[in-house]
Every structure is written in C-alpha cells, then in structure tokens.
Amino acid sequence: MPNEGFHRHDHSTCVETALASAEARCAEERLRLTPVRRRILEILLEEHRALGAYDILDRLRAEGMAAQPPVAYRALEFLVGNGFAHRIERRSAYIACTEQDPDHAPMFLICRSCDSIAESSIKRTDLAREAKHAGFVIEHQVLEAEGLCPACTDTAAP
C-alpha cells in the first residue's frame, strides 16, 4: 500500500473512489470529463505526488495516447479549474485533490527529501479575516510548506 500524503491507505480503493466522485460530479454539473482528462486525473491519483506536465505527457505517450503539450495543459486547466487537481507552485507541478469539497482552502505540506505531498485544509475564514483587516482582497491563494515528512524525519533522526 503506497502512502497517501503521509498516511497509509488502500490505494486502489482511493483511486476508484476519487474517480467515481469526479465522474459523478461531472455528470451532475454537466462537465465534460473527456478520456484524456480522466486519464490525467487517474495518473495524478495513482502517483499521490506532484507531476509536471511533461511527466504526464510521457506517461500518456507510453500508453499509446497521442498527446501534445496543449492537450495536457488544457486538461490540467480543466482539472484545476474544477477542483479535481491543484497546481503546486513551488514545483510547477500538479497533484490530484484529496478533498471532496471543491471550495476548500488547500494547504500543501511538501517533503523536501522524498517529494511526497500531503494536502490539508485550513479555514478560509481565518485568512479572509486577516486579509480584510489589512484592506486586502484575496483573488488567489496557494499555501505551501516545505519540510520533512514523518518517514524522512524518522530516517534523519540519530
């Protein structure tokens, strides 16, 4: 069983559940989850780590799918825009969203040693309150923290 972020879980169930949820939401909201979009989401879910667009393109090509950069970037734009994936700014890469609520405020904990990433949610209201107090209007937020995951911390301990 691979790690989801920093916790052990049933990976095949995780991927199946997330895909089923995405398909249901797309049907409900009349969003087009094309075969390429679905496969890219599946790749992101399978990895549980951030992947660059060209890593994703390489996977698609290896599977025999005709994929050019604009196709991947449009699919990633759809996935991010609809809350199925996130862009990790620090890595210029993408990761599948692990939260069911598309309006959540994600925070990413990035291990600098093994590159694993855990998604956590923070209260959007706390940040909004601070911004309002400063007279600032938030248009886009990305919260990323870099450090060591539990496995790498245990390995680094004397």
Side-chain angles (χ1 to χ4, degrees), residues 32-127:
R32 268 190 83 223
L33 189 61
T34 64
V36 171
R37 290 172 177 172
R38 185 186 190 287
R39 182 61 191 131
I40 289 175
L41 177 58
E42 191 174 27
I43 289 168
L44 292 173
L45 288 163
E46 289 168 353
E47 292 294 324
H48 276 316
R49 65 183 178 92
L51 294 173
Y54 283 90
D55 297 323
I56 294 166
L57 279 168
D58 289 344
R59 288 273 305 266
L60 293 175
R61 285 189 197 110
E63 295 171 6
M65 295 182 86
Q68 298 299 317
V71 172
Y73 280 109
R74 280 194 300 271
L76 288 165
E77 184 178 304
F78 169 86
L79 294 172
V80 170
N82 289 289
F84 300 118
H86 298 290
R87 185 169 191 277
I88 304 296
E89 304 288 334
R90 185 172 202 83
R91 303 283 166 96
S92 295
Y94 300 85
I95 190 166
C97 179
T98 60
E99 297 288 329
Q100 296 298 319
D101 178 8
D103 293 325
H104 70 287
M107 175 177 70
F108 302 99
L109 307 173
I110 304 167
C111 181
R112 66 176 167 74
S113 180
C114 70
D115 290 329
S116 63
I117 298 175
E119 179 179 350
S120 182
S121 288
I122 61 163
K123 292 183 180 180
R124 189 180 299 265
T125 55
D126 293 344
L127 187 57

